[in-house]
Amino acid sequence: MEVVDRDEGKAFSWVRIGFFFTAIYFGAVGWVILRSGPESLVQIKSGLQLNEFANAMAGMFAPLAFLWLFIATMVQSQELALQRRELKLTRREFELNRDVAKGQAEEAQKTAKFIGEQTKIMATGEYDKLIDAQIEGFERMYPAVGSRALIFRGKEADSSMFIKLSTNSYTFPAISERVWSASNEYRTAKQKFPDRKLYCQTPDGFKVLKQMLDRMSEAREGASPRHLEILRLAAFDVLVHSLDFIMSECERGE
Protein backbone atom coordinates (compact mmCIF):
# COMPACT_ATOMS: atom_id res chain seq x y z
CA MET A 1 0.00 0.00 0.00
CA GLU A 2 2.90 2.35 0.72
CA VAL A 3 4.33 1.64 -2.74
CA VAL A 4 1.06 2.69 -4.40
CA ASP A 5 0.90 6.00 -2.51
CA ARG A 6 4.53 6.80 -3.30
CA ASP A 7 4.00 6.15 -7.02
CA GLU A 8 0.86 8.28 -7.05
CA GLY A 9 2.91 11.10 -5.50
CA LYS A 10 5.50 10.76 -8.25
CA ALA A 11 2.81 10.88 -10.93
CA PHE A 12 1.43 14.06 -9.39
CA SER A 13 4.91 15.62 -9.25
CA TRP A 14 5.33 15.11 -13.01
CA VAL A 15 2.10 17.03 -13.59
CA ARG A 16 3.36 19.83 -11.35
CA ILE A 17 6.64 19.87 -13.29
CA GLY A 18 4.63 20.18 -16.49
CA PHE A 19 2.66 23.13 -15.10
CA PHE A 20 5.87 24.67 -13.79
CA PHE A 21 7.63 24.61 -17.19
CA THR A 22 4.43 25.70 -18.91
CA ALA A 23 4.24 28.68 -16.62
CA ILE A 24 7.89 29.49 -17.30
CA TYR A 25 7.28 29.18 -21.04
CA PHE A 26 4.28 31.50 -20.97
CA GLY A 27 6.20 33.84 -18.75
CA ALA A 28 9.08 33.93 -21.21
CA VAL A 29 6.70 34.47 -24.12
CA GLY A 30 4.93 37.25 -22.21
CA TRP A 31 8.22 38.85 -21.26
CA VAL A 32 9.37 38.81 -24.91
CA ILE A 33 6.05 40.29 -26.05
CA LEU A 34 6.17 43.02 -23.43
CA ARG A 35 9.82 43.83 -24.16
CA SER A 36 9.93 43.63 -27.96
CA GLY A 37 6.29 43.53 -29.02
CA PRO A 38 4.30 40.76 -30.72
CA GLU A 39 6.20 41.20 -33.96
CA SER A 40 9.25 39.69 -32.30
CA LEU A 41 7.48 36.33 -32.17
CA VAL A 42 4.84 36.54 -34.91
CA GLN A 43 5.09 38.72 -37.93
CA ILE A 44 1.62 40.12 -38.44
CA LYS A 45 1.02 41.59 -41.88
CA SER A 46 -2.01 42.67 -43.76
CA GLY A 47 -3.84 39.92 -45.59
CA LEU A 48 -2.58 37.24 -43.16
CA GLN A 49 -4.33 34.01 -43.96
CA LEU A 50 -5.92 31.90 -41.26
CA ASN A 51 -3.74 28.90 -42.03
CA GLU A 52 -0.67 31.04 -41.80
CA PHE A 53 -1.80 32.31 -38.39
CA ALA A 54 -2.50 28.70 -37.31
CA ASN A 55 0.98 27.65 -38.40
CA ALA A 56 2.41 30.49 -36.37
CA MET A 57 0.45 29.44 -33.31
CA ALA A 58 1.48 25.82 -33.85
CA GLY A 59 5.09 26.83 -33.95
CA MET A 60 4.64 28.86 -30.79
CA PHE A 61 2.93 26.09 -28.84
CA ALA A 62 4.93 23.17 -30.27
CA PRO A 63 7.38 23.18 -27.32
CA LEU A 64 4.44 22.93 -24.91
CA ALA A 65 2.99 20.04 -26.93
CA PHE A 66 6.27 18.14 -26.73
CA LEU A 67 6.53 18.99 -23.03
CA TRP A 68 3.09 17.61 -22.18
CA LEU A 69 3.63 14.63 -24.46
CA PHE A 70 6.71 13.86 -22.42
CA ILE A 71 4.77 14.42 -19.16
CA ALA A 72 1.96 12.14 -20.35
CA THR A 73 4.46 9.46 -21.36
CA MET A 74 6.14 9.57 -17.95
CA VAL A 75 2.82 9.49 -16.10
CA GLN A 76 1.62 6.55 -18.21
CA SER A 77 4.93 4.76 -17.64
CA GLN A 78 4.53 5.18 -13.89
CA GLU A 79 0.93 4.01 -14.06
CA LEU A 80 2.05 0.88 -15.92
CA ALA A 81 4.76 0.29 -13.32
CA LEU A 82 2.13 0.76 -10.62
CA GLN A 83 -0.15 -1.77 -12.32
CA ARG A 84 2.73 -4.24 -12.56
CA ARG A 85 3.44 -3.82 -8.87
CA GLU A 86 -0.24 -4.23 -8.04
CA LEU A 87 -0.35 -7.39 -10.12
CA LYS A 88 2.78 -8.61 -8.34
CA LEU A 89 1.21 -7.87 -4.96
CA THR A 90 -2.02 -9.56 -6.05
CA ARG A 91 -0.11 -12.59 -7.26
CA ARG A 92 1.77 -12.69 -3.98
CA GLU A 93 -1.50 -12.44 -2.09
CA PHE A 94 -2.91 -15.30 -4.15
CA GLU A 95 0.19 -17.35 -3.33
CA LEU A 96 -0.22 -16.61 0.38
CA ASN A 97 -3.92 -17.49 0.20
CA ARG A 98 -3.01 -20.69 -1.64
CA ASP A 99 -0.49 -21.58 1.05
CA VAL A 100 -3.07 -20.85 3.75
CA ALA A 101 -5.68 -22.93 1.92
CA LYS A 102 -3.15 -25.72 1.48
CA GLY A 103 -2.31 -25.59 5.18
CA GLN A 104 -6.00 -25.64 6.07
CA ALA A 105 -6.57 -28.59 3.76
CA GLU A 106 -3.66 -30.48 5.32
CA GLU A 107 -4.96 -29.66 8.79
CA ALA A 108 -8.42 -30.84 7.77
CA GLN A 109 -6.91 -34.08 6.46
CA LYS A 110 -5.03 -34.57 9.72
CA THR A 111 -8.22 -33.88 11.69
CA ALA A 112 -10.20 -36.28 9.53
CA LYS A 113 -7.48 -38.90 9.90
CA PHE A 114 -7.43 -38.40 13.67
CA ILE A 115 -11.22 -38.68 13.87
CA GLY A 116 -11.11 -41.76 11.67
CA GLU A 117 -8.47 -43.35 13.88
CA GLN A 118 -10.46 -42.53 17.02
CA THR A 119 -13.61 -43.90 15.43
CA LYS A 120 -11.74 -47.03 14.42
CA ILE A 121 -10.37 -47.43 17.94
CA MET A 122 -13.86 -47.06 19.37
CA ALA A 123 -15.27 -49.52 16.84
CA THR A 124 -12.42 -51.94 17.54
CA GLY A 125 -13.19 -51.71 21.24
CA GLU A 126 -16.83 -52.61 20.57
CA TYR A 127 -15.81 -55.58 18.40
CA ASP A 128 -13.44 -56.76 21.14
CA LYS A 129 -16.20 -56.49 23.73
CA LEU A 130 -18.49 -58.51 21.48
CA ILE A 131 -15.88 -61.24 21.06
CA ASP A 132 -15.24 -61.33 24.81
CA ALA A 133 -18.97 -61.63 25.50
CA GLN A 134 -19.40 -64.43 22.96
CA ILE A 135 -16.40 -66.35 24.29
CA GLU A 136 -17.73 -66.03 27.84
CA GLY A 137 -21.18 -67.17 26.73
CA PHE A 138 -19.67 -70.03 24.73
CA GLU A 139 -17.71 -71.24 27.75
CA ARG A 140 -20.84 -71.10 29.93
CA MET A 141 -23.04 -72.81 27.35
CA TYR A 142 -20.73 -75.59 26.26
CA PRO A 143 -20.76 -77.73 29.48
CA ALA A 144 -24.49 -78.36 28.99
CA VAL A 145 -23.84 -79.49 25.43
CA GLY A 146 -20.61 -81.34 26.14
CA SER A 147 -22.14 -83.37 28.95
CA ARG A 148 -24.16 -85.26 26.32
CA ALA A 149 -21.92 -87.32 24.08
CA LEU A 150 -22.42 -87.87 20.36
CA ILE A 151 -23.90 -91.27 19.57
CA PHE A 152 -22.59 -93.14 16.56
CA ARG A 153 -24.62 -96.31 16.07
CA GLY A 154 -25.99 -98.79 13.59
CA LYS A 155 -29.06 -101.00 13.47
CA GLU A 156 -27.68 -103.60 15.86
CA ALA A 157 -28.41 -103.06 19.55
CA ASP A 158 -24.75 -103.36 20.55
CA SER A 159 -23.39 -101.18 17.73
CA SER A 160 -23.55 -97.85 19.55
CA MET A 161 -20.39 -95.83 20.01
CA PHE A 162 -20.18 -92.72 22.20
CA ILE A 163 -17.96 -89.83 21.16
CA LYS A 164 -16.95 -87.72 24.13
CA LEU A 165 -17.55 -83.98 24.02
CA SER A 166 -16.78 -83.10 27.62
CA THR A 167 -13.37 -81.83 28.69
CA ASN A 168 -11.52 -81.28 31.94
CA SER A 169 -11.24 -77.52 31.36
CA TYR A 170 -14.03 -75.52 29.78
CA THR A 171 -11.87 -72.72 28.48
CA PHE A 172 -12.28 -71.64 24.89
CA PRO A 173 -9.03 -73.22 23.64
CA ALA A 174 -9.76 -76.49 25.51
CA ILE A 175 -13.28 -76.64 24.07
CA SER A 176 -11.92 -75.98 20.57
CA GLU A 177 -9.45 -78.85 20.94
CA ARG A 178 -12.16 -81.20 22.25
CA VAL A 179 -14.59 -80.47 19.39
CA TRP A 180 -11.81 -80.95 16.87
CA SER A 181 -10.85 -84.29 18.48
CA ALA A 182 -14.52 -85.39 18.47
CA SER A 183 -14.86 -84.60 14.77
CA ASN A 184 -11.70 -86.60 14.01
CA GLU A 185 -12.96 -89.54 16.08
CA TYR A 186 -16.19 -89.50 14.12
CA ARG A 187 -14.33 -89.36 10.79
CA THR A 188 -12.26 -92.41 11.76
CA ALA A 189 -15.31 -94.34 12.98
CA LYS A 190 -17.29 -93.51 9.87
CA GLN A 191 -14.55 -94.93 7.67
CA LYS A 192 -14.82 -98.23 9.56
CA PHE A 193 -18.61 -98.25 9.79
CA PRO A 194 -20.04 -96.25 6.87
CA ASP A 195 -23.56 -97.60 7.47
CA ARG A 196 -23.86 -96.18 10.96
CA LYS A 197 -25.41 -92.80 11.75
CA LEU A 198 -24.40 -89.95 14.01
CA TYR A 199 -26.92 -88.61 16.53
CA CYS A 200 -26.67 -85.37 18.51
CA GLN A 201 -28.46 -85.42 21.84
CA THR A 202 -28.52 -81.62 22.17
CA PRO A 203 -29.08 -80.25 18.63
CA ASP A 204 -30.52 -76.95 19.89
CA GLY A 205 -27.43 -76.41 22.01
CA PHE A 206 -25.23 -76.93 18.98
CA LYS A 207 -27.26 -74.31 17.10
CA VAL A 208 -26.75 -71.78 19.89
CA LEU A 209 -23.00 -72.46 19.94
CA LYS A 210 -22.90 -72.07 16.17
CA GLN A 211 -24.65 -68.70 16.40
CA MET A 212 -22.04 -67.51 18.91
CA LEU A 213 -19.25 -68.57 16.60
CA ASP A 214 -20.92 -66.75 13.70
CA ARG A 215 -21.06 -63.54 15.73
CA MET A 216 -17.39 -63.90 16.64
CA SER A 217 -16.54 -64.49 13.00
CA GLU A 218 -18.31 -61.26 12.01
CA ALA A 219 -16.69 -59.27 14.83
CA ARG A 220 -13.28 -60.61 13.90
CA GLU A 221 -13.21 -58.30 10.84
CA GLY A 222 -12.83 -55.25 13.08
CA ALA A 223 -11.16 -56.76 16.14
CA SER A 224 -7.83 -55.68 17.59
CA PRO A 225 -4.62 -57.67 16.97
CA ARG A 226 -4.78 -58.91 20.57
CA HIS A 227 -8.20 -60.51 20.10
CA LEU A 228 -7.25 -61.87 16.71
CA GLU A 229 -4.33 -63.59 18.44
CA ILE A 230 -6.72 -64.99 21.08
CA LEU A 231 -8.87 -66.53 18.36
CA ARG A 232 -5.82 -67.82 16.53
CA LEU A 233 -4.41 -69.53 19.63
CA ALA A 234 -7.80 -71.11 20.22
CA ALA A 235 -7.81 -72.49 16.65
CA PHE A 236 -11.03 -70.61 15.96
CA ASP A 237 -11.29 -71.59 12.29
CA VAL A 238 -10.72 -75.25 13.14
CA LEU A 239 -13.44 -75.05 15.79
CA VAL A 240 -15.92 -73.52 13.34
CA HIS A 241 -15.13 -76.12 10.69
CA SER A 242 -15.34 -79.02 13.15
CA LEU A 243 -18.66 -77.88 14.63
CA ASP A 244 -20.12 -77.33 11.17
CA PHE A 245 -19.05 -80.82 10.17
CA ILE A 246 -20.61 -82.44 13.26
CA MET A 247 -23.88 -80.53 12.81
CA SER A 248 -24.07 -81.45 9.11
CA GLU A 249 -23.56 -85.15 9.92
CA CYS A 250 -26.08 -85.41 12.76
CA GLU A 251 -29.28 -87.16 11.71
CA ARG A 252 -31.43 -85.96 14.57
CA GLY A 253 -31.25 -85.38 18.28
CA GLU A 254 -32.18 -87.97 20.88
Side-chain angles (χ1 to χ4, degrees):
M1 194 66 185
E2 294 178 356
V3 175
V4 174
D5 293 339
R6 187 166 58 249
D7 288 341
E8 288 180 351
K10 288 182 179 180
F12 181 71
S13 65
W14 277 110
V15 174
R16 286 193 298 179
I17 290 174
F19 280 116
F20 176 74
F21 281 105
T22 299
I24 291 176
Y25 183 79
F26 277 116
V29 171
W31 182 78
V32 171
I33 292 175
L34 290 176
R35 183 177 178 82
S36 304
E39 294 80 1
S40 62
L41 295 176
V42 179
Q43 185 178 1
I44 301 175
K45 60 183 179 178
S46 59
L48 182 66
Q49 298 295 323
L50 182 61
N51 63 333
E52 294 176 344
F53 180 76
N55 291 334
M57 292 297 101
M60 180 181 295
F61 290 102
L64 292 179
F66 283 110
L67 171 65
W68 282 103
L69 178 62
F70 173 75
I71 297 297
T73 302
M74 296 304 297
V75 171
Q76 186 178 18
S77 176
Q78 288 185 346
E79 289 179 350
L80 291 175
L82 177 62
Q83 291 178 358
R84 286 195 296 269
R85 292 186 181 183
E86 289 178 345
L87 289 174
K88 184 177 181 180
L89 291 175
T90 302
R91 185 165 55 249
R92 178 58 180 167
E93 185 176 356
F94 283 156
E95 291 176 354
L96 293 176
N97 291 337
R98 183 186 60 190
D99 293 340
V100 171
K102 183 178 179 181
Q104 292 176 344
E106 292 177 352
E107 188 65 25
Q109 290 178 351
K110 292 179 180 178
T111 302
K113 183 178 180 181
F114 174 78
I115 294 175
E117 291 176 351
Q118 294 300 315
T119 302
K120 184 178 179 181
I121 291 174
M122 293 176 62
T124 300
E126 294 300 320
Y127 286 126
D128 290 350
K129 290 179 182 179
L130 179 59
I131 291 176
D132 290 337
Q134 296 305 314
I135 290 177
E136 183 179 353
F138 195 93
E139 292 174 343
R140 288 200 308 265
M141 179 69 184
Y142 186 80
V145 178
S147 62
R148 307 291 297 275
L150 298 173
I151 303 175
F152 183 60
R153 70 184 181 189
K155 297 180 180 179
E156 297 81 4
D158 59 346
S159 61
S160 295
M161 173 184 176
F162 294 92
I163 300 177
K164 179 183 176 182
L165 289 173
S166 61
T167 179
N168 294 330
S169 173
Y170 286 100
T171 62
F172 195 60
I175 294 172
S176 177
E177 183 178 0
R178 181 64 258 174
V179 174
W180 174 74
S181 298
S183 66
N184 284 342
E185 290 177 21
Y186 167 67
R187 291 176 188 273
T188 302
K190 187 177 181 181
Q191 291 177 355
K192 293 181 180 180
F193 307 101
D195 295 333
R196 296 183 182 183
K197 304 295 182 181
L198 182 67
Y199 297 92
C200 299
Q201 299 183 75
T202 54
D204 292 336
F206 275 103
K207 291 180 181 178
V208 174
L209 294 177
K210 181 62 169 59
Q211 290 174 355
M212 292 180 180
L213 293 180
D214 289 341
R215 293 192 185 98
M216 280 188 270
S217 182
E218 293 174 358
R220 183 171 58 172
E221 298 297 328
S224 65
R226 176 177 173 273
H227 279 70
L228 292 177
E229 183 66 10
I230 290 174
L231 295 178
R232 188 189 69 81
L233 293 176
F236 177 79
D237 292 330
V238 174
L239 172 60
V240 172
H241 180 73
S242 300
L243 190 62
D244 285 341
F245 175 68
I246 291 174
M247 292 179 65
S248 66
E249 291 293 315
C250 284
E251 288 287 321
R252 63 180 184 276
E254 286 195 354

